[in-house]
């Protein structure tokens, strides 16, 4: 079965697209990567998304316009994915762009992803799976993270405690260990605050290669304020996003200081924040190896600091060593979720999300399985039976 997977994360800089072929042999599912590609959002679309995200206010009109604009972009990405699959695919997984994740007192109450899946289905003419988080939220879960099901199948827990780390807008961690349930949760900001600082202080979408952070020095006063965030001390299951870690959040911490902080020092401090919070969780679970993916692995300053903090306790690797390109890992994970949903299998892990049960994820557009219920002859009229 060939599945196209799409992914647009909390950094909202573009969409990653992959194609994968899945073959089941007994209890082993083989994933053959068929290729990956990235489509960057233009400045106008990024501005549309930023204008709608918390803490900004918005209108229903703006939501509708963005939903359909994103649908057009995802449709283009899906078409690229079908080409990667050799010109034909069985399904597309288009999880959409998260614009709000509603969490109150540690409980997820709702979640909203935009991306007009009907536009994707119209373009590629195969079933499209979307809205992957809502079923888990309805079952009492956080609706995130969803990648741990991929990590749990890929990493061999028998080897010893190991962690899979994703460094996207948010840093999330999956921990597998012998004889215990899979654990996974959002640790805190990775690129979310770094990119917000780069936009605010440098007028750039990001600190390319972490160069400005490498030139700066950690400001201990700012770091202490950032580390005082209550989210870090909250026990899992937990999830977060830009409804908490946004530009205004950073502005408030900077305003609380008695003196201004140089831009390079702000970036160095935010890099240290991510490295310390991630390393603390890896130490807490006593992992021996951390396998990283996501856009953050392209930041050598961040990756180098993580490696230094883990030296002598855990080894840092990237998923490329396992055959999965680090930038494309989440898109491949969503392709796997599509395979599971197609076969009526749950995609969320209750020990990760806190749900009451393991839910089959997503909604199919225009029509997904089971195909065997399609009538041989479609109805041509309707009668009312009394």
């Amino acid at each position: 079965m060939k599945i196209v997977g799409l992914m647009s994360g909390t950094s909202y800089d573009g969409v990653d697209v992959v194609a994968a072929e899945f073959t089941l042999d007994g209890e082993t599912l083989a994933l053959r990567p068929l290729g990956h590609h990235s489509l960057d959002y233009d400045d106008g679309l990024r501005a549309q998304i930023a204008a709608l995200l918390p803490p900004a206010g918005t209108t229903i009109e703006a939501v509708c316009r963005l939903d359909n604009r994103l649908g057009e972009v995802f449709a283009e990405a899906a078409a690229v994915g079908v080409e990667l699959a050799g010109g034909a695919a069985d399904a597309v997984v288009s999880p959409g762009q998260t614009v709000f994740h509603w969490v109150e007192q540690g409980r997820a109450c709702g979640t909203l992803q935009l991306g007009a899946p009907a536009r994707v289905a119209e373009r590629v003419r195969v079933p499209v799976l979307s809205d992957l988080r809502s079923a888990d939220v309805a079952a009492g879960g956080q609706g995130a993270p969803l990648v741990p099901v991929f990590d749990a199948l890929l990493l061999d827990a028998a080897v010893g405690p190991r962690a899979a780390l994703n460094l996207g807008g948010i840093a999330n961690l999956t921990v597998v260990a012998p004889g215990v349930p899979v654990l996974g949760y959002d640790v805190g900001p990775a690129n979310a605050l770094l990119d917000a600082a780069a936009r605010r202080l440098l007028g750039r979408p990001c600190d390319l290669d972490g160069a400005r952070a490498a030139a700066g020095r950690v400001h201990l006063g700012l770091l202490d304020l950032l580390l005082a965030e209550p989210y870090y001390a909250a026990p899992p299951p937990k999830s977060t996003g830009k409804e908490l870690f946004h530009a205004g959040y950073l502005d408030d911490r900077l305003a609380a200081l008695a003196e201004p902080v140089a831009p390079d020092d702000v970036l160095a401090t935010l890099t240290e924040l991510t490295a310390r919070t991630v390393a603390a969780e890896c130490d807490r679970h006593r992992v021996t190896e951390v396998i990283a993916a996501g856009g953050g692995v392209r930041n050598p300053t961040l990756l180098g600091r993580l490696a230094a903090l883990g030296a002598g306790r855990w080894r840092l690797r990237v998923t490329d060593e396992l055959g999965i390109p680090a930038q494309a890992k989440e898109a491949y994970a969503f392709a796997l979720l599509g395979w599971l949903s197609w076969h009526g299998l749950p995609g969320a892990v209750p020990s990760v999300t806190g749900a009451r049960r393991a839910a089959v994820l997503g909604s199919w557009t225009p029509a997904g399985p089971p195909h065997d219920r399609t009538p041989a002859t479609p109805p041509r009229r309707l009668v009312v039976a009394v």
Side-chain angles (χ1 to χ4, degrees), residues 1-8 16-22 29-38 81 84-85 93 95 132 146-151 153-154 166 293 319-320 322-340:
M1 185 176 185
K2 292 181 179 180
I3 299 179
V4 172
L6 309 181
M7 175 61 190
S8 179
D16 295 318
V17 53
V18 303
E21 184 177 65
F22 293 92
L29 181 64
L31 183 162
R32 184 164 72 95
L34 301 177
H36 69 279
H37 188 73
S38 295
L84 293 172
V93 182
L132 276 79
L146 296 180
V147 174
V149 68
F150 179 92
D151 298 329
L153 290 172
L154 184 64
N166 183 68
T319 55
D320 298 73
L322 303 182
I324 298 293
Q327 182 64 28
K329 179 204 168 181
E330 285 195 294
Y332 277 114
F334 277 103
L336 170 66
L337 291 174
W339 187 92
L340 293 171

Side-chain angles (χ1 to χ4, degrees), residues 139-238:
Q142 293 283 325
L146 296 180
V147 174
V149 68
F150 179 92
D151 298 329
L153 290 172
L154 184 64
L155 302 183
D156 184 3
V159 173
R162 305 165 81 194
L165 170 67
N166 183 68
L167 294 168
I170 300 298
N172 42 61
L173 197 70
T174 304
V175 180
V176 298
V180 296
V182 177
L183 184 65
Y185 54 95
D186 289 342
V187 174
N191 298 322
L193 292 183
L194 281 167
D195 290 350
R199 291 187 180 94
R200 182 80 93 235
L201 303 174
L202 307 179
R204 301 174 184 173
C206 67
D207 175 19
L208 187 62
D209 295 331
R212 297 292 293 268
R217 299 174 61 185
V218 174
H219 188 286
L220 296 179
L222 176 58
L223 182 62
D224 287 342
L225 283 175
L226 291 166
L227 287 171
E229 167 57 50
Y231 179 83
Y232 302 128
K238 60 180 179 177

